Amino acid sequence: AQSVAQPEDQVNVAEGNPLTVKCTYSVSGNPYLFWYVQYPNRGLQFLLKYITGDNLVKGSYGFEAEFNKSQTSFHLKKPSALVSDSALYFCAVGNMRFGAGTRLTVKP
Amino acid sequence: GAGVSQSPSNKVTEKGKDVELRCDPISGHTALYWYRQSLGQGLEFLIYFQGNSAPDKSGLPSDRFSAERTGGSVSTLTIQRTQQEDSAVYLCASSLLVGYEQYFGPGTRLTVT
């Protein structure tokens, strides 16, 4: 069975600071891992994915994620947060099992 | 090109009535998914279709829920005898193949009164 967990309901960061949104997964075999973002009053958008290859994956809007097999994690990161990054972020495994979401708030 | 479209955007219905929600996927995408999202919550997987294979219905919450996909394109999610707990945003997504990134529609907000 596949499952994914986002341990933080809410993450608050100041603009310009680095941000991390955490995700851990459980899957047998090689995982397909995804991050999606849902901006206020807008649909879900794909950010990035890990299928195989380099553990550091780069995606849209300056986001990246690091796949760590030993820790079964796929944390989303950005070196310098923008107020416009404030949104709901979802991690997904196998493309159909989504985490509960983490609300990111970036304050000026 | 055109993205995933869903209709209606909003639907208010009385408890006990049947509703049909429509999804038009991106042309050429073989996989189509339905999810449910309660207010500010995560996505609950309902069902997915992949090509001509039998759909994965493992996420449907009860036998009041059903879905079909005609001609490998348009899909309809039907909820019979709606209940208040069915109130949610129903999201449709499509992808080139299962395992590829999904493209989501704007959703249908269903309110059961």
Side-chain angles (χ1 to χ4, degrees), chain A residues 45-102:
Chain A
Q45 299 176 30
F46 166 75
L47 269 182
L48 51 79
K49 67 180 177 183
Y50 173 84
I51 305 296
T52 186
D54 290 341
N55 290 341
L56 186 64
V57 179
K58 294 188 182 297
S60 306
Y61 311 120
F63 283 92
E64 57 189 28
E66 186 172 9
F67 170 67
N68 188 316
K69 188 172 183 178
S70 63
Q71 296 185 3
T72 62
S73 67
F74 189 56
H75 300 332
L76 182 70
K77 300 181 179 183
K78 188 172 183 181
S80 179
L82 299 172
V83 172
S84 57
D85 292 331
S86 298
L88 191 55
Y89 290 81
F90 292 97
C91 181
V93 60
N95 221 15
M96 284 175 286
R97 305 299 178 210
F98 281 73
T102 298

Side-chain angles (χ1 to χ4, degrees), chain B residues 7-50:
Chain B
S7 60
S9 55
N10 281 284
K11 176 72 176 179
V12 180
T13 190
E14 294 180 351
K15 177 181 174 181
K17 300 282 189 180
D18 298 351
V19 295
E20 286 189 352
L21 312 179
R22 177 188 168 102
C23 172
D24 272 285
I26 292 173
S27 178
H29 280 192
T30 64
L32 185 148
Y33 315 77
W34 283 98
Y35 298 90
R36 179 167 70 175
Q37 185 177 27
S38 299
L39 186 62
Q41 300 302 307
L43 272 68
E44 176 186 4
F45 165 73
L46 298 177
I47 185 171
Y48 90 86
F49 300 84
Q50 168 63 60

